[in-house]
Amino acid sequence: MGAMILGPVLGEMTARIAVVTIDNDKVLLSIGGGNQAIARAVNRIRTGDGSFMDRPELADVEHYMPKNVVSLMLISPANISGLAIRAMTMFGQGGADFEMQSKEPIAFSSGVEGSTHTISLYVPLAPIKEFVDFFTRMGSMGQDMEDAPGF
């Protein structure tokens, strides 16, 4: 039953959480994304310098990360907005006319240097502006709906 509900929202019939050992000191934790995305991530880490940071959308993220990174979590606002739109459509709320253009992720990272542990949060401006613009447009459209039943 859960797969019938989650499948259309997640884009596949299986909710996927994977923990993949890359080498002695690297582990990939993926929530969602499917087998192909996980395989691409593992391949990118193994064939590169051990990071994702050579992708153009991550250039600013790397600038704000601490030195000697020990953990990194990337969250894609574009993927989350797509998930929310599919869920709205599935549960009868209608799909929103919104597709995020920014591919820059939100990033949490931590690093250790000597006796100092630094935790960093990077939130790019582009996806925030896209969300604000979308909700501003929705709000101005909603003014006409204030007298409609249910509002």
Side-chain angles (χ1 to χ4, degrees):
M1 177 73 166
M4 290 173 48
I5 293 171
L6 291 176
V9 174
L10 297 175
E12 57 184 33
M13 295 306 283
T14 304
R16 197 174 305 273
I17 298 174
V19 179
V20 181
T21 301
I22 305 296
D23 60 27
N24 288 338
D25 64 348
K26 292 180 189 73
V27 175
L28 171 70
L29 170 64
S30 175
I31 302 173
N35 287 336
Q36 291 178 347
I38 294 168
R40 282 192 309 269
V42 169
N43 186 52
R44 185 173 210 82
I45 293 170
R46 285 187 176 152
T47 61
D49 65 353
S51 75
F52 284 114
M53 306 320 292
D54 56 351
R55 295 177 10 209
E57 64 269 21
L58 298 179
D60 286 340
V61 173
E62 186 172 29
H63 177 73
Y64 291 101
M65 286 176 24
K67 295 178 182 176
N68 302 321
V69 173
V70 295
S71 65
L72 172 64
M73 179 171 62
L74 302 173
I75 300 172
S76 168
N79 289 352
I80 291 173
S81 69
L83 177 74
I85 290 168
R86 287 192 303 275
M88 287 170 56
T89 301
M90 183 182 166
F91 293 111
Q93 300 301 311
D97 186 20
F98 176 71
E99 183 176 335
M100 178 152 303
Q101 300 302 308
S102 173
K103 302 302 179 204
E104 271 189 287
I106 296 168
F108 296 94
S109 59
S110 67
V112 175
E113 190 167 356
S115 62
T116 304
H117 186 182
T118 303
I119 298 174
S120 169
L121 168 64
Y122 172 76
V123 180
L125 187 57
I128 292 172
K129 288 175 82 172
E130 286 185 57
F131 276 124
V132 168
D133 290 347
F134 170 72
F135 285 112
T136 300
R137 285 194 315 272
M138 293 300 290
S140 65
M141 290 172 29
Q143 290 175 354
D144 299 331
M145 298 292 291
E146 287 180 1
D147 296 327
F151 287 94

